[in-house]
Amino acid sequence: MRAVLKIGGSLLYDKDGNILVEKVRNYAVAIKSLVKDGHSLVVVVGGGIPARVFISAARDLGASEAQCDWLGIKLARNNAELLCAGLGDIAYPKIVETLDELEVAVKLGKVVLMGGLIPGQSTNAVAALAAETVNAETLFNATNVDGVYDRDPKESGAKRFDTITIVELKKVLSGGGTKAGEYKLFDSVAIRVVERSKIPTVIFDGRNPDNLTRIFLSENIGTRIVHND
Ligand code: UTP
């Protein structure tokens, strides 16, 4: 299938900001095996700890929100470069920076990698726009929680949704930040794009790269965003 995979940048760093090289390698291995099985992938990588660190320092120094966003965009592209290195020849060798460029790159049959696109959104929006552009069958979102919960998962009694509608998702995510580095699981651009193009989307626990293989085998892990016609 043609799919877009978003890998949360936070998955690729430990709490001190060191790169989890083995994790990047394991993602590369899992992606290679999916490609071998005939899947075609666009992979969007998030900014992770480096983005948060640079954005916070720049904000302290008086940078505008747009300047802070640009730092996040570039750092997400750097993270995508790391995965590109791990993928070797099966990857399109340049990190794609626009949706126009994406349309051309996917035609070459390689794994196409992206980081950020433009200020005012998160890499989840990039992933949603990429899925719309390449007409992806599914958008897979690997993150550091095992799905969408009806409240803060740390609260007792919190319940994970197996499936969720966009209306329910908007309710759960209301109150997400709008500043650089603070966009929550799904920012408003991502939600709007997923909603208007009815993109089947699965949010799953990406802390273990093996879950990527499991999710492609349609195992029931994570939360699936469903669309009513
Ligand atoms: P993300 O917040 O999407 O990174 O991008 P992330 O690491 O995936 O987040 P987690 O791990 O899921 O929590 C980093 C920052 O880059 C800017 C935003 O400021 C964003 O918070 N950004 C990213 C943009 O401004 N535009 C983009 O298209 C992408």
Side-chain angles (χ1 to χ4, degrees):
M1 79 164 105
R2 170 164 288 183
V4 171
L5 168 67
K6 153 77 203 294
I7 301 178
S10 60
L11 299 174
L12 307 181
Y13 290 84
D14 70 13
K15 61 177 177 17
D16 299 320
N18 300 306
I19 301 169
L20 296 170
V21 179
E22 273 315 297
K23 188 70 77 68
V24 180
R25 198 189 319 277
N26 291 340
Y27 262 109
V29 168
I31 290 168
K32 279 180 186 168
S33 133
L34 291 172
V35 169
K36 221 182 203 162
D37 289 345
H39 299 291
S40 139
L41 286 175
V42 175
V43 184
V44 179
V45 188
I49 289 190
R52 304 292 176 279
V53 169
F54 272 78
I55 287 170
S56 151
R59 195 177 279 132
D60 280 354
L61 291 165
S64 68
E65 283 307 308
Q67 284 174 313
C68 291
D69 272 341
W70 272 113
L71 280 171
I73 289 166
K74 290 176 195 165
L75 288 154
R77 287 176 184 162
N78 285 350
N79 289 335
E81 286 278 8
L82 285 178
L83 186 58
C84 188
L87 288 170
D89 282 350
I90 69 159
Y92 182 74
K94 178 180 177 293
I95 306 307
V96 161
E97 297 184 359
T98 66
L99 295 174
D100 275 359
E101 211 188 322
L102 173 64
E103 279 193 87
V104 178
V106 285
K107 301 250 185 305
L108 302 177
K110 302 239 174 191
V111 177
V112 179
L113 293 136
M114 302 179 78
L117 272 181
I118 50 160
Q121 61 180 34
S122 75
T123 48
N124 289 314
V126 176
L129 288 161
E132 197 173 57
T133 303
V134 305
N135 198 16
E137 236 172 88
T138 307
L139 164 55
F140 294 101
N141 195 307
T143 183
N144 56 9
V145 287
D146 64 352
V148 181
Y149 281 76
D150 57 355
R151 68 196 88 159
D152 185 338
K154 287 183 206 110
E155 281 180 32
S156 75
K159 177 184 151 287
R160 180 171 65 83
F161 292 97
D162 280 339
T163 61
I164 191 168
T165 63
I166 284 283
V167 175
E168 284 171 318
L169 184 68
K170 281 184 194 163
K171 245 188 263 166
V172 172
L173 296 180
S174 63
T178 56
K179 287 187 162 178
E182 289 179 4
Y183 304 104
K184 288 281 182 291
L185 192 58
F186 260 50
D187 62 291
S188 56
V189 179
I191 291 191
R192 243 189 1 259
V193 173
V194 165
E195 184 173 28
R196 74 175 182 184
S197 290
K198 297 189 186 333
I199 301 167
T201 301
V202 182
I203 296 157
F204 70 100
D205 191 342
R207 286 170 291 193
N208 177 0
D210 290 345
N211 283 346
L212 181 57
T213 316
R214 297 176 63 201
I215 209 90
F216 268 75
L217 293 171
S218 299
E219 282 190 33
N220 193 15
I221 53 173
T223 298
R224 188 170 288 267
I225 302 173
V226 290
H227 302 278
N228 306 320
D229 292 315

